[in-house]
Amino acid sequence: MKQDERLLHASSFGAAATAYAAHRPDYAQAAVRWALDEPAPGLRVLDLGAGTGKLTATLVAVGADVTAVEPDPAMLTELRRALPDVRALPGSAEAIPLPDASVDAVVAGNAMHWFDMAVAGPEIARVLVPGGILAGLWNVMDDRVDWVAGLARVSGSAAIGPRDTLASWRAETADAHLPKTGGAARFGSPEQAEFPHGQRRTADSLVATLATRAGMLVMPEQEHEIALARIRAFLASKPETADGEFTLPMLTCVLRVRRL
């Protein structure tokens, strides 16, 4: 993805902040604990690109001392509304409003792929203590399940892209911590792991969830409506999803590296 296209997609979420807060899934606690690689209580953690606080809430639940940083004002408003006791600051991965060596871990929930790591990498390394952790977490759909694989095919990459399915997330995110233009390595070798997760959905709420994906948000309105209608028709045709609530099979996937 070109730089200008990446910026367009990354800045698209604010317009859908309320829907994002309502429909995006949380993160598996087991995945968060593995990402932090040590007991969480008291651990100083920066949730970077925190959005509406989906990952922030899970970090709080495992006992971490969390600071959330988010560039979009609408997303930050939703986060502060949901988690009024969390320190939540405006800022970005490329300009983190924290002192040097002030956190033990930096985590990003479905956000690291938006960072300009040529700039963000040095910033993240700056705020981390030596040996501190950088972890990206992604909620992906379990396309080992037949109907989920079918949904991915029907939806198209704007709604369910390569990072969004178990089959391809490892390859798509393995170098997410590295700058795209070369430069000195600031982090050690990556580790990756997956943890079972799920989200209770109806056909309508799953369509609403997919409508919050960046590719869908920047799509022309007519094309957007056609894509959503295609997804609705698919879900209506499957016995697993046609009537009432169901569990969307998911995994929380983690890329973890340490600051050198």
Side-chain angles (χ1 to χ4, degrees), residues 17-92:
T18 302
Y20 193 106
H23 297 296
R24 285 294 185 105
D26 61 2
Y27 293 81
Q29 284 197 15
V32 171
R33 293 185 185 280
W34 187 86
L36 300 178
D37 195 31
E38 59 183 281
L43 198 72
R44 299 170 302 168
V45 180
L46 166 61
D47 184 1
L48 192 54
T52 62
K54 294 292 185 176
L55 178 56
T56 313
T58 308
L59 291 163
V60 170
V62 302
D65 176 13
V66 188
T67 298
V69 168
E70 166 57 36
D72 189 278
M75 302 287 271
L76 192 60
T77 295
E78 291 291 337
L79 190 156
R80 287 170 169 162
R81 180 166 24 238
L83 300 165
D85 295 331
V86 170
R87 182 188 185 202
L89 305 173
S92 69

Side-chain angles (χ1 to χ4, degrees), residues 30-219:
V32 171
R33 293 185 185 280
W34 187 86
L36 300 178
D37 195 31
E38 59 183 281
L43 198 72
R44 299 170 302 168
V45 180
L46 166 61
D47 184 1
L48 192 54
T52 62
K54 294 292 185 176
L55 178 56
T56 313
T58 308
L59 291 163
V60 170
V62 302
D65 176 13
V66 188
T67 298
V69 168
E70 166 57 36
D72 189 278
M75 302 287 271
L76 192 60
T77 295
E78 291 291 337
L79 190 156
R80 287 170 169 162
R81 180 166 24 238
L83 300 165
D85 295 331
V86 170
R87 182 188 185 202
L89 305 173
S92 69
E94 296 77 18
I96 301 172
L98 294 179
D100 296 357
S102 58
V103 295
D104 304 300
V106 174
V107 300
N110 279 77
M112 191 186 292
H113 50 275
W114 301 124
F115 299 167
D116 177 1
M117 290 304 293
V119 182
E123 268 292 270
I124 292 168
R126 179 185 65 79
V127 301
L128 276 172
V129 297
I133 290 168
L134 168 63
L137 294 89
W138 289 267
N139 278 319
V140 308
M141 296 186 182
D142 190 350
D143 56 354
R144 295 171 299 185
V145 178
D146 286 345
W147 75 262
V148 177
L151 176 64
R153 289 191 297 269
V154 166
S155 298
S157 61
I160 303 178
R163 284 186 305 271
D164 301 322
T165 60
L166 180 61
S168 54
W169 89 271
R170 279 180 174 254
E172 289 293 322
T173 63
D175 63 352
H177 60 294
L178 299 175
K180 305 304 181 193
T181 54
R186 298 177 183 273
F187 304 99
S189 299
E191 303 172 89
Q192 292 174 297
E194 303 100 8
F195 298 84
H197 198 29
Q199 185 185 31
R200 294 296 289 172
R201 297 281 76 183
T202 63
D204 286 343
S205 65
L206 181 51
V207 170
T209 301
L210 296 176
T212 68
R213 298 295 177 88
M216 298 294 289
L217 292 171
V218 300
M219 191 179 284

